[in-house]
Amino acid sequence: MNLVYPVFLFLVVLTTLSCSSGNEKSRELIEANRLHLEAMKISEHLEQKLDSLAPLAKDDLEKSRIDSLKDLIEVWEENVIEVPGFTHAHDHAHGAHEHKTAPSMTDASMLDYQRQSKEAILELQQAITALDNPRK
């Protein structure tokens, strides 16, 4: 499974978004924020899961897979964009960091971006689940 593709797609979507005007919270922005918060919760859980799997790695190959997945989650987090107009407080197991301020985009584009972001973290979740399943 190539995990670079979802992260790449996520970055491409970011660069193709269009501008918007107005600061009201539309249904699209509310949904975008909901998706953002869900994705952040998933990423926090995945970080903790990988931290718990690292000491259990049975060989160098498995350790390398865990490290690669950690790196992909970091790349994902570096490209997280918060939905404007909503308060955000995230507790990350790996220390505090800031998310990018959203570029000017339409509400529909923000919703699409957050959907892509959540899809990318869900693909990472599947890879981590597959790594963990042989243990059970």
Side-chain angles (χ1 to χ4, degrees):
M1 172 184 227
N2 185 354
L3 296 176
V4 176
Y5 179 73
V7 174
F8 176 75
L9 181 62
F10 176 71
L11 296 174
V12 169
V13 170
L14 170 65
T15 61
T16 60
L17 300 173
S18 61
C19 298
S20 74
S21 61
N23 294 324
E24 294 183 24
K25 293 178 187 174
S26 66
R27 279 189 262 152
E28 290 169 319
L29 279 185
I30 292 168
E31 176 66 7
N33 188 60
R34 185 187 68 75
L35 292 171
H36 169 76
L37 294 175
E38 287 176 0
M40 293 307 301
K41 184 177 269 192
I42 292 167
S43 74
E44 291 167 15
H45 171 75
L46 295 180
E47 287 176 323
Q48 293 168 0
K49 183 66 169 177
L50 288 173
D51 285 344
S52 71
L53 289 175
L56 304 175
K58 60 186 173 193
D59 55 31
D60 288 342
L61 179 60
E62 192 169 284
K63 171 94 171 91
S64 177
R65 287 179 181 156
I66 291 168
D67 289 343
S68 293
L69 288 165
K70 284 182 178 182
D71 290 344
L72 287 171
I73 289 174
E74 282 185 34
V75 168
W76 180 86
E77 285 180 344
E78 289 170 4
N79 290 288
V80 165
I81 295 177
E82 294 184 341
V83 180
F86 294 86
T87 307
H88 293 88
H90 305 299
D91 179 29
H92 297 282
H94 297 281
H97 64 273
E98 295 180 18
H99 299 292
K100 293 180 180 180
T101 303
S104 182
M105 63 178 74
T106 65
D107 294 356
S109 293
M110 176 57 77
L111 178 56
D112 186 51
Y113 179 87
Q114 297 301 334
R115 281 185 181 131
Q116 294 291 328
S117 176
K118 185 173 177 190
E119 286 176 22
I121 201 66
L122 286 172
E123 288 200 25
L124 289 171
Q125 183 179 42
Q126 289 174 348
I128 293 166
T129 299
L131 181 67
D132 188 33
N133 277 344
R135 296 180 196 292
K136 296 179 179 178

